[in-house]
Amino acid sequence: MSKNTEIEGIIWRSTGSWYEVRSNEGQLYRCRLKGKFKIKGLKVTNPLAVGDKVIFHLEDTAENTGVISEILPRENYIIRKSVHKTAHGHLLACNIDQAILIVTLVMPRTSLGFIDRFLVSSESFRIPTVLLFNKCDLLDSESEAYQKEIMEMYEGLGYPCHSISALEKINLKAVDQLIEGKTSLISGHSGVGKSQLISEIIPELELATSEVSTFANKGVHTTTFAEMFEAKPGTYVIDSPGIKELGLMDMENEEISHYFPEMRELLGECKFHNCLHVNEPKCAVKDAVIAGEISESRFNSYLSMLENIDNRR
Ligand code: GDP
Ligand code: ZN
């Protein structure tokens, strides 16, 4: 290929200064950005992230290295708060079809508050989310009944749920079907079985990682950056080590209820258009909680998110 040929590819992994880009033909290139990129309207510390589609051309100095000249339009993106610069976010991943949150109700117990915060973030980024309840092999009849109740609640809100065991390989077909032909971001508290599940759905991962590590060794590998894996052609999984929560970026109090689907549909019915559903009279959301149409755990999560935002100010 001549050095002037433009190649289209996807950011596979980022080390901060270097990007591993996979061309549409499946070849990996080590690329850097030409000059300084500023993305309009986005306050982020990094201009590119895993999942970004880019145009690059080869450099003549070394084999398989390239220069990125263009970022193609993004379908969506996930930003989390930057640890260092509070006004800026960190671009975590782009062009994601769905987020998969792995949770366990036992060993360890994922709190409903954590699940709800995750769902509110993914709603705010407009990314569909699926819940995988892992370690179903550990459930006794009581916890199984509890899990069923929780799953029905989230299914009712439009979040598909599956009960699986990564270790005992129970219901993993459902996971295969879920990820087929899509790019999925996988998240979860540590200990829920994320690594176990990823190694089940991508058996060739050992191979893939060693292939990639020759690239990584040349750069500085930072584990806080997400990376992409291919489960099979057209099916991609993004793993984001160390990132449990998506983080709530710049959310106003009034905005939060918009990201609770069961509240969103009632918002026009509250007496006050800027109702926060706390102490206001004639509040359709509170009425729905009293009537049992909105679950108490969801409403409590909502209230605690309001409080957190207040505490930040
Ligand atoms: P991660 O921190 O989310 O990556 O979790 P790991 O994949 O490292 O799993 C944490 C622990 O849970 C390990 O000891 C796994 O063997 C165990 N584990 C993972 N999946 C299951 C499961 O479905 N059932 C049971 N019983 N244990 C599991
Ligand atoms: Zn209200």
Side-chain angles (χ1 to χ4, degrees):
M1 232 178 289
S2 112
K3 73 177 166 91
N4 291 323
T5 315
E6 289 196 329
I7 308 174
E8 193 178 321
I10 296 181
I11 306 279
W12 212 244
R13 184 150 94 172
S14 149
T15 62
S17 48
W18 284 92
Y19 301 95
E20 261 172 44
V21 183
R22 191 180 191 261
S23 71
N24 293 346
E25 279 74 44
Q27 172 79 42
L28 281 180
Y29 295 89
R30 190 167 176 257
C31 295
R32 59 186 173 83
L33 259 185
K34 190 168 83 179
K36 270 206 184 298
F37 264 78
K38 256 200 121 66
I39 313 246
K40 264 182 272 154
L42 266 190
K43 277 190 177 168
V44 286
T45 52
N46 52 332
L48 279 173
V50 163
D52 256 324
K53 296 184 175 126
V54 297
I55 305 280
F56 64 100
H57 57 266
L58 298 181
E59 276 186 316
D60 46 9
T61 45
E63 225 175 289
N64 288 352
T65 66
V67 180
I68 297 167
S69 53
E70 196 183 335
I71 307 171
L72 300 179
R74 291 179 176 135
E75 306 253 330
N76 57 28
Y77 51 80
I78 291 180
I79 297 181
R80 62 172 197 133
K81 274 218 210 66
S82 167
V83 199
H84 310 292
K85 282 173 138 178
T86 42
H88 283 65
H90 177 84
L91 197 59
L92 180 66
C94 301
N95 300 320
I96 300 148
D97 294 314
Q98 63 186 356
I100 295 179
L101 180 64
I102 308 177
V103 302
T104 48
L105 295 181
V106 286
M107 297 213 325
R109 184 175 178 278
T110 307
S111 74
L112 299 185
F114 174 81
I115 297 176
D116 292 333
R117 280 199 305 279
F118 190 96
L119 292 174
V120 164
S121 300
S122 59
E123 287 279 343
S124 77
F125 295 120
R126 296 188 175 76
I127 294 172
T129 302
V130 178
L131 301 177
L132 292 186
F133 290 77
N134 191 31
K135 308 199 185 183
C136 71
D137 56 295
L138 295 180
L139 301 179
D140 58 19
S141 56
E142 194 183 322
S143 44
E144 200 176 315
Y146 174 65
Q147 179 179 299
K148 192 161 169 272
E149 200 181 299
I150 302 294
M151 285 174 63
E152 276 169 7
M153 174 180 85
Y154 286 111
E155 288 264 0
L157 299 173
Y159 303 108
C161 295
H162 298 275
S163 175
I164 63 163
S165 167
L167 190 69
E168 302 295 335
K169 307 191 198 333
I170 300 168
N171 208 15
L172 296 188
K173 263 243 141 54
V175 182
D176 283 337
Q177 282 170 8
L178 190 69
I179 62 172
E180 169 92 41
K182 292 187 172 152
T183 298
S184 307
L185 178 89
I186 301 206
S187 303
H189 263 311
S190 70
V192 294
K194 190 167 71 141
S195 316
Q196 184 88 34
L197 184 70
I198 289 179
S199 69
E200 288 301 330
I201 54 184
I202 316 174
E204 309 84 25
L205 190 62
E206 294 278 284
L207 199 149
T209 21
S210 58
E211 225 173 64
V212 161
S213 64
T214 50
F215 271 92
N217 291 341
K218 294 179 195 160
V220 184
H221 180 52
T222 325
T223 50
T224 51
F225 286 96
E227 53 186 310
M228 182 112 98
F229 300 102
E230 183 180 54
K232 58 182 168 179
T235 300
Y236 306 108
V237 167
I238 298 175
D239 183 20
S240 49
I243 292 154
K244 296 165 202 147
E245 285 197 53
L246 296 181
L248 303 175
M249 287 295 298
D250 299 334
M251 206 172 280
E252 295 296 328
N253 268 336
E254 293 74 28
E255 217 182 326
I256 304 176
S257 54
H258 293 253
Y259 303 130
F260 283 78
E262 70 273 52
M263 296 186 192
R264 185 164 55 213
E265 61 188 26
L266 295 174
L267 295 182
E269 293 169 34
C270 293
K271 181 175 182 204
F272 298 103
H273 78 278
N274 58 350
C275 184
L276 286 178
H277 328 297
V278 185
N279 295 314
E280 296 90 338
K282 300 213 166 114
C283 166
V285 169
K286 274 195 298 172
D287 287 349
V289 176
I290 292 164
E293 289 152 8
I294 289 180
S295 94
E296 279 189 23
S297 75
R298 292 277 291 170
F299 189 61
N300 287 338
S301 294
Y302 168 75
L303 292 179
S304 89
M305 289 175 70
L306 268 189
E307 232 164 61
N308 278 338
I309 286 186
D310 280 342
N311 288 342
R312 284 209 313 254
R313 293 201 169 129

